Amino acid sequence: MPRSETELMLQGYGLTTAEMFYRLPDHQSILNSFVWQDYDLAPDYPKLFGFIEFWQDEIEGPLHSVRFTHRKLIGPGEWRNVVQEFYVH
């Protein structure tokens, strides 16, 4: 069952963005770029490295380089459930 983005963030996932530079199969001197984005766990990045392995196994364009950034948007200690309100006159 797919989890919502909020549930993923509360479990420690953060938004990971990777830019992959790869060579065209027929024109090795030309570099192209591809941007990949998903929620992933730092510092192991299982989804990112899984995608890189998939790329190397299944896609003809060889990777030149990969650069990525990770941003933890919300953490379990930063969110709290408010069940009561107080009014100040």
Side-chain angles (χ1 to χ4, degrees), residues 21-48:
F21 294 95
Y22 64 98
R23 297 190 184 276
L24 294 177
D26 296 336
H27 304 283
Q28 292 290 315
S29 61
I30 298 175
L31 281 177
N32 254 353
S33 68
F34 176 79
V35 176
W36 175 91
Q37 194 172 53
D38 202 351
Y39 287 94
D40 209 353
L41 283 170
D44 296 330
Y45 303 104
K47 288 186 179 182
L48 174 61

Side-chain angles (χ1 to χ4, degrees), residues 15-80:
L15 189 62
T16 303
T17 304
E19 184 175 20
M20 299 170 190
F21 294 95
Y22 64 98
R23 297 190 184 276
L24 294 177
D26 296 336
H27 304 283
Q28 292 290 315
S29 61
I30 298 175
L31 281 177
N32 254 353
S33 68
F34 176 79
V35 176
W36 175 91
Q37 194 172 53
D38 202 351
Y39 287 94
D40 209 353
L41 283 170
D44 296 330
Y45 303 104
K47 288 186 179 182
L48 174 61
F49 291 130
F51 183 76
I52 291 173
E53 287 178 17
F54 166 79
W55 184 293
Q56 292 173 337
D57 294 342
E58 302 293 330
I59 297 179
E60 291 182 17
L63 285 174
H64 173 270
S65 60
V66 177
R67 67 178 183 176
F68 67 95
T69 184
H70 178 81
R71 174 78 174 141
K72 194 170 181 181
L73 301 175
I74 187 173
E78 299 172 16
W79 184 85
R80 59 191 174 123

Side-chain angles (χ1 to χ4, degrees), residues 1-22:
M1 182 172 164
R3 296 180 284 185
S4 72
E5 292 176 358
T6 305
E7 289 175 323
L8 288 172
M9 287 186 283
L10 289 173
Q11 293 174 359
Y13 284 77
L15 189 62
T16 303
T17 304
E19 184 175 20
M20 299 170 190
F21 294 95
Y22 64 98

